[in-house]
Amino acid sequence: MKLFNFENQNRIKEDVLIIENFIPDSICDSIIKYWDKAVDTGSLMWEPISFYDSFASNVPDDDYKTEFGIPETFFIELKEKIKEAVEVCRGDKVREVSYHCQKWIEGAYAGFHSDNTPIASPEYNSFERSKWASFLYLNDDFEGGALNFRDHPITIAPKKGMLVAFAGGHHNIHEVQMITKGQRWTIGSFWDNNEVVYS
């Protein structure tokens, strides 16, 4: 089974890239089952984040993931492949800022925002390093939860195994529309293209 697929690319805007079937459906299902067990064992602890009724945690990487059919080095390779996809979108190198798993329950949403500036200004804020974003969708058996761009005719309905990468700044104000039924599972990450190494 091929674990990572870069073939189904769709650049829907200069700085917005979709890759469908980035990972297989079966691996998506396995990750969610593995995360459920990781909660039970205490290696994954969901913490509320600033968006209403959504939760995040570090991506666990326990030895027992292989019980769910997840290869031993999968999460290490996954992070590298996501980085590669963001670099395809940007056309140049990026550096990791954050990498985490997310659970969005019914009623969760993220209102219109920029990832690294105030919504009304192109001036950077304390999230300056989050210049590029990517989201890997692990399921699509929910309602709502689309990624919608305010100033562009772009609304992306999540599909299982799809990766979306985009520049997250003021020129790409975006929202996650409310989850109206079910749960939405993702791996989210943010990336910087600044040559300065932050301490």
Side-chain angles (χ1 to χ4, degrees):
M1 175 176 59
K2 186 175 181 179
L3 287 179
F4 305 104
N5 171 29
F6 280 79
E7 295 171 6
N8 300 318
Q9 295 184 23
N10 181 12
R11 189 177 292 273
I12 57 176
K13 185 174 172 281
E14 181 181 359
D15 55 3
V16 179
L17 178 72
I18 293 175
I19 305 177
E20 294 196 34
N21 305 309
F22 185 71
I23 63 172
D25 286 0
S26 60
I27 294 292
C28 293
D29 296 337
S30 294
I31 291 171
I32 294 171
K33 291 174 185 174
Y34 162 58
W35 285 357
D36 282 338
K37 181 170 181 179
V39 169
D40 293 339
T41 63
S43 65
L44 190 160
M45 292 172 281
W46 293 115
E47 299 288 341
I49 56 177
S50 57
F51 302 130
Y52 181 73
D53 281 340
S54 60
F55 301 86
S57 179
N58 292 330
V59 177
D61 192 7
D62 304 291
D63 290 342
Y64 62 80
K65 63 183 173 290
T66 57
E67 297 173 19
F68 298 90
I70 301 171
E72 183 62 38
T73 60
F74 175 77
F75 288 107
I76 295 169
E77 294 176 36
L78 176 62
K79 186 189 289 190
E80 285 302 310
K81 294 299 183 181
I82 291 174
K83 180 177 185 283
E84 185 179 334
V86 175
E87 290 174 344
V88 168
C89 183
R90 179 177 181 242
D92 205 348
K93 300 294 185 186
V94 294
R95 181 184 300 111
E96 178 188 345
V97 174
S98 66
Y99 177 74
H100 52 278
C101 48
Q102 296 175 308
K103 178 175 70 170
W104 301 68
I105 65 174
E106 191 169 314
Y109 68 94
F112 282 117
H113 64 281
S114 163
D115 292 328
N116 54 44
T117 70
I119 195 167
S121 167
E123 300 297 321
Y124 287 125
N125 62 19
S126 58
F127 295 100
E128 175 180 355
R129 295 174 62 198
S130 300
K131 293 186 177 73
W132 295 82
S134 70
F135 295 94
L136 174 60
Y137 301 107
L138 301 179
N139 71 318
D140 52 19
D141 56 343
F142 57 88
E143 295 177 8
L147 175 63
N148 182 49
F149 290 77
R150 185 189 69 183
D151 303 319
H152 311 288
I154 299 172
T155 301
I156 300 170
K159 294 181 184 178
K160 184 189 291 188
M162 171 194 284
L163 181 78
V164 176
F166 59 95
H170 188 260
H171 59 291
N172 272 339
I173 302 294
H174 57 282
E175 67 173 344
V176 175
Q177 295 176 336
M178 183 177 288
I179 313 300
T180 57
K181 184 177 181 181
Q183 293 186 339
R184 178 182 183 265
W185 303 84
T186 62
I187 293 178
S189 57
F190 293 93
W191 307 85
D192 187 18
N193 56 264
N194 198 320
E195 293 301 321
V196 175
V197 177
Y198 297 90
S199 57

